Amino acid sequence: MAIRLLWLTENYPPQRGGMAQSCDRLIHGLRNNGYEIEIIHFTLKGNAFVRKQQQAGGYVAVTYEDSEPHTLNMTWNYIKTLGSFDYLIAFGGNLSMTGAPIFAQWMETKLITFLRGNDFDTSIFTPRKREVLQYALQQSAHVFSVSGEKLRKIDRWIPDVNAHFVPNGIDLQNWSPIKSEVDFATGWRSQYAAGKTCIGLIGQLKPKKGVQFFINALSKMTVKADIHLLLIGDIEEAHQEELDKKELSYTLIPFQDRYELMKYYLCCDALVIPSFYEGMPNVMLEAGALGIPIIASNVDGMADLISHEKDGLLFQVGNEEACRKTIHQFMSMKDRWHELGQALKTKIENEYTAHHEIEAYKKHIT
């Protein structure tokens, strides 16, 4: 008999971003492995409480009301119609983590909490959200984190939590470039970055991503004249003004969906992830699986994946001097760029696929 999961989330397609992408990948992978999953998606749009049949389960949107208690009470009325479940999953977002521990008790089922990045990093230092986070972790049969560092933080904060490190994976099926994408990258580089090293900053470029930090570090380097930045995602107007003010060579492109990104990854000689704190960025796995070298701060999922100087380069988080030194190091080792990229590609193929990810979860969700 299939294991039945009730999945609460605020991050699911058609929303964009890494958490929505990860949520979709995990649900798809678990369903393909025999799990039955009912999704409750807290969202701003949609036909509230109208269930859509999906493969091995269903989906329902729950639109936000003015009152969180009202939204969650209405959600409970719906949950009561769904029958019994083996586990209730809280996957990101304050509404999910607020409601899930109570719902699990009323349902007399086990709670599992998934932590990705922001759901821990912002909640831990926001008093009201911290109480919600703490209660959810204490009530959980299992807690899963995509960052080894977050696992250590949880253990030191609440030692008796049954927490596990399960890194993100990447579905490599169809994740290889076709000729038109390779041709696009060749043409784009000749037009926008001819004779320069192209370094990409890709994703939701929020303050935690360290964009301003990286701009400041790069602007003080003489080698900046040899670098073209490819920024893809939403960026603050002040950051763009700084790029112009500091006379950095750059191209800015709006946020792109995953498969639209592939041709732009191929434009890059390296991807830089200067984040101050993170989960495990999907863009790191996507670029790495294409053999693109990674330069990153030494925190969270970046430090979990990258082995310094073996399959990428790491620098001390938030340290401009260390960042500049690492950029200089990368620029001076052009003969090893391919080696670094291929070593990371091999590691991802052997250890960080969607298959490895799902198999790790299956060991605990039984």
Side-chain angles (χ1 to χ4, degrees), residues 26-54:
L26 291 178
I27 288 174
H28 180 75
L30 289 169
R31 281 174 168 170
N32 282 345
N33 277 268
Y35 292 76
E36 181 183 332
I37 302 175
E38 291 288 328
I39 305 166
I40 292 180
H41 180 199
F42 297 106
T43 181
L44 294 173
K45 299 178 181 179
N47 297 320
F49 299 109
V50 177
R51 182 180 181 274
K52 297 179 182 178
Q53 182 66 41
Q54 295 182 331

Side-chain angles (χ1 to χ4, degrees), residues 168-228:
N168 272 344
I170 178 171
D171 183 357
L172 294 175
Q173 186 176 6
N174 300 321
W175 191 246
S176 58
I178 58 177
K179 184 178 183 298
S180 63
E181 291 165 329
V182 174
D183 291 343
F184 171 89
T186 301
W188 187 94
R189 284 183 62 97
S190 65
Q191 182 176 357
Y192 296 101
K196 294 181 181 288
T197 297
C198 184
I199 294 181
L201 289 94
I202 298 174
Q204 292 180 312
L205 303 178
K206 299 174 284 191
K208 77 166 189 174
K209 298 291 187 178
V211 176
Q212 185 62 59
F213 160 83
F214 185 74
I215 292 171
N216 290 340
L218 182 60
S219 68
K220 298 171 185 175
M221 301 175 65
T222 56
V223 76
K224 71 179 184 182
D226 301 320
I227 292 175
H228 184 83

Side-chain angles (χ1 to χ4, degrees), residues 213-223 227 295 315-316 319-331:
F213 160 83
F214 185 74
I215 292 171
N216 290 340
L218 182 60
S219 68
K220 298 171 185 175
M221 301 175 65
T222 56
V223 76
I227 292 175
I295 305 167
F315 59 86
Q316 179 62 41
N319 186 317
E320 277 194 24
E321 182 179 353
C323 180
R324 288 192 292 271
K325 181 178 178 181
T326 304
I327 295 298
H328 270 301
Q329 180 182 6
F330 179 77
M331 295 293 285

Side-chain angles (χ1 to χ4, degrees), residues 56-118:
Y59 166 92
V60 69
V62 175
T63 52
Y64 293 130
E65 299 289 344
D66 293 335
S67 164
E68 287 185 4
H70 176 68
T71 300
L72 292 172
N73 272 296
M74 294 297 288
T75 302
W76 172 245
N77 288 341
Y78 174 75
I79 289 173
K80 289 189 295 184
T81 69
L82 297 175
S84 62
F85 291 88
D86 298 288
Y87 294 95
L88 190 154
I89 309 293
F91 186 95
N94 191 60
L95 270 173
S96 299
M97 273 199 272
T98 298
I102 305 301
F103 294 159
Q105 291 174 14
W106 290 347
M107 295 164 63
E108 297 183 311
T109 194
K110 296 176 182 178
L111 172 66
I112 296 176
T113 299
F114 284 69
L115 295 176
R116 317 306 287 179
N118 266 358

Side-chain angles (χ1 to χ4, degrees), residues 256-267:
Q256 303 287 306
D257 289 325
R258 180 185 182 223
Y259 286 102
E260 287 297 314
L261 279 176
M262 186 180 296
K263 62 187 179 185
Y264 290 109
Y265 284 130
L266 298 175
C267 297

